[in-house]
Amino acid sequence: SGEAPQNPVASRKSGTVFERRLIEAYIAENGRDPVTDEDLSTDDLVELKTSRTVRPRPPTLTSIPSLLSVFQNEWDALALETYTLRQQLTQTRQELSTALYQHDAAVRVIARLSRERDEARDALSRVSVHGGQTTNGEAMQVDSSELSGDLIAKFADCNRLSKTRRKRPIPDGWVTSDALSSFSPVEKSKPLYTNTRSLAVNKHGDSALVGGVDGKLGVFSIPDKAIIQEMNAGPGAVTDVLWLGDRMVASTSAGNVKIYEKEVEVSSFSGHAGEVTALAVHPSGDILASVGVDKSYIFYDLTSNTIATQVLADAALTTAGFHPDGHLFAAGGVDGQIKVYDVKSLTNAANFDSTGPITAIAFSENGTWLATAAKGSTAVSIWDLRKASIVHTINLTSPISAVQWEFSGQFLAIAGPSGLVVQQYSKTTKEWSEPLKAAVPSVAVAWGLDAGTIYCLDAEGSITTLTER
């Protein structure tokens, strides 16, 4: 207060002398010693014995001395508040300095971990993974083994048998351009499974294979218009389906590939560390392939029900297909590349760059063309494998969900949310035309027997049949 204390007391914490009324008021408000900032109570105050000074009677505010006394009290309060604020400022600066130091350390640790993660990913993408285990092996094995001699012989036999493929005539009774132009929807099934992704029609053209997000796999009888067989392929959603003769194959988001025969599961593979995104069957019929988000593709030997080989790519894979000669395997990636592999050596023979993650690929039976579509793109690219370049682009008005060539290599079916389009390439005129365009929203498409029917699957799980009226 700037005056000699009338009732002095000393703090046990700091040993400082205070005016009792002032220190008690401070303790009541803060509970601490104003000098050392330690906890302080009135019990910690020691009264001091001094000669009492007689103070004059307090003046009133009507005189200059009384005003000076009021100003003095206000000044004392202001000085005390300023002292407290300075203490708080010092403490806040210390806390801010500590927080900034911890933030800088955290940023350094995150940067180091990110660098180590990228290095590990790069190293993993350079590793070839092969497995010789049977159906229930869950761990991927890394070794330097190659494909067995029996598999390589099957590849060679298939390639040798296909040398006359380009010279074969169009089968009798095959659909013509005029007939195709008169195709229209003739019937639509009720919704079969929700959030379906793929459709496969067997070689007899009387059964369709579909699956749902709940892991259900069903065989839809086209003549009876009903599900006649149902299997549980779960856990996980069914991501792709295909026929192996009379056997059925399904892949799931849980990383499994299952083979069924008359509703009985005869084989199960779990080589992928994550969702299996697509399936493909080799022209020989003895080799099955799958690709997944774990950046790998797997070949399965169906004669021995074993994983023949598993190889890592440099990006997650979304689509797959075998060349009709059987010597090439193509897989589309989320990095926008179509990766073409030699099936004998398992080496990357070529890469074709697209505009985005690949959503669909299909080899033409002419052996030289590959049709591809990218996510979000409204164009289908036709690649010439001999020139490694795009020879034709089919521009549509909406994104593409699926592409599918028929057996003769003349017609290409293109499915999307806005409908179905069929493009035709004429060998005589060497020109493209569009014999069919139908407003049938589709997520998948399949050709029927002799290409005389087209089946479209929509997002609600309904199958629409298009044929000549």
Side-chain angles (χ1 to χ4, degrees), residues 37-306:
D37 201 31
E38 298 180 74
D39 292 340
L40 184 67
S41 67
T42 55
D43 295 335
D44 295 323
L45 301 178
V46 179
E47 186 175 0
L48 302 178
K49 300 295 185 178
T50 60
S51 298
R52 188 171 183 84
T53 303
V54 179
R55 299 184 63 185
R57 185 170 54 188
T60 63
L61 295 178
T62 57
S63 63
I64 292 179
S66 65
L67 291 173
L68 292 176
S69 177
V70 171
F71 293 158
Q72 181 65 50
N73 292 338
E74 292 294 333
W75 170 258
D76 293 342
L78 181 61
L80 180 60
E81 182 180 3
T82 302
Y83 178 76
T84 303
L85 290 175
R86 285 181 176 178
Q87 282 187 319
Q88 294 176 351
L89 177 61
T90 301
Q91 182 180 0
T92 302
R93 283 177 173 174
Q94 291 176 346
E95 293 175 354
L96 178 60
S97 176
T98 302
L100 290 175
Y101 174 78
Q102 292 174 345
H103 176 268
D104 182 67
V107 169
R108 293 176 182 270
V109 170
I110 292 172
R112 178 175 57 82
L113 292 177
S114 298
R115 184 177 64 255
E116 293 177 355
R117 178 203 62 190
D118 294 339
E119 292 174 353
R121 284 179 174 176
D122 182 66
L124 185 62
S125 67
R126 300 174 186 275
V127 177
S128 292
V129 181
H130 306 277
Q133 302 300 316
T134 56
T135 58
N136 295 322
E138 295 184 359
M140 292 191 298
Q141 297 191 1
V142 180
D143 56 43
S144 58
S145 64
E146 297 179 352
L147 291 175
S148 66
D150 292 340
L151 284 181
I152 293 178
K154 290 178 182 179
F155 292 145
D157 290 341
C158 183
N159 192 16
R160 183 166 53 252
L161 292 173
S162 67
K163 288 183 177 180
T164 60
R165 170 183 39 76
R166 297 185 63 186
K167 298 179 181 179
R168 68 191 175 199
I170 297 175
D172 293 336
W174 204 257
V175 70
T176 63
S177 177
D178 292 338
L180 190 61
S181 63
S182 64
F183 274 28
S184 62
V186 294
E187 59 185 13
K188 181 178 181 180
S189 72
K190 65 179 182 180
L192 305 176
Y193 299 103
T194 57
N195 294 328
T196 52
R197 301 190 194 180
S198 55
L199 170 70
V201 176
N202 66 356
K203 62 183 179 180
H204 307 294
D206 59 359
S207 297
L209 190 61
V210 292
V213 70
D214 57 355
K216 296 294 184 181
L217 177 67
V219 177
F220 178 77
S221 173
I222 295 174
D224 298 335
K225 304 178 181 62
I227 295 290
I228 57 174
Q229 295 180 23
E230 189 172 64
M231 293 74 68
N232 184 12
V238 175
T239 56
D240 199 8
V241 295
L242 56 79
W243 290 90
L244 283 171
D246 294 328
R247 290 181 293 174
M248 300 155 283
V249 186
S251 61
T252 70
S253 59
N256 298 318
V257 175
K258 297 186 177 183
I259 303 176
Y260 297 87
E261 188 170 358
K262 296 181 180 180
E263 299 184 87
V264 178
E265 181 182 310
V266 294
S267 298
S268 179
F269 304 92
S270 55
H272 285 283
E275 178 179 343
V276 182
T277 52
L279 298 170
V281 62
H282 190 266
S284 67
D286 294 329
I287 300 162
L288 177 69
S290 65
V291 297
V293 297
D294 60 353
K295 303 182 180 181
S296 74
Y297 66 88
I298 299 179
F299 287 169
Y300 308 90
D301 186 349
L302 299 179
T303 58
S304 60
N305 278 339
T306 59

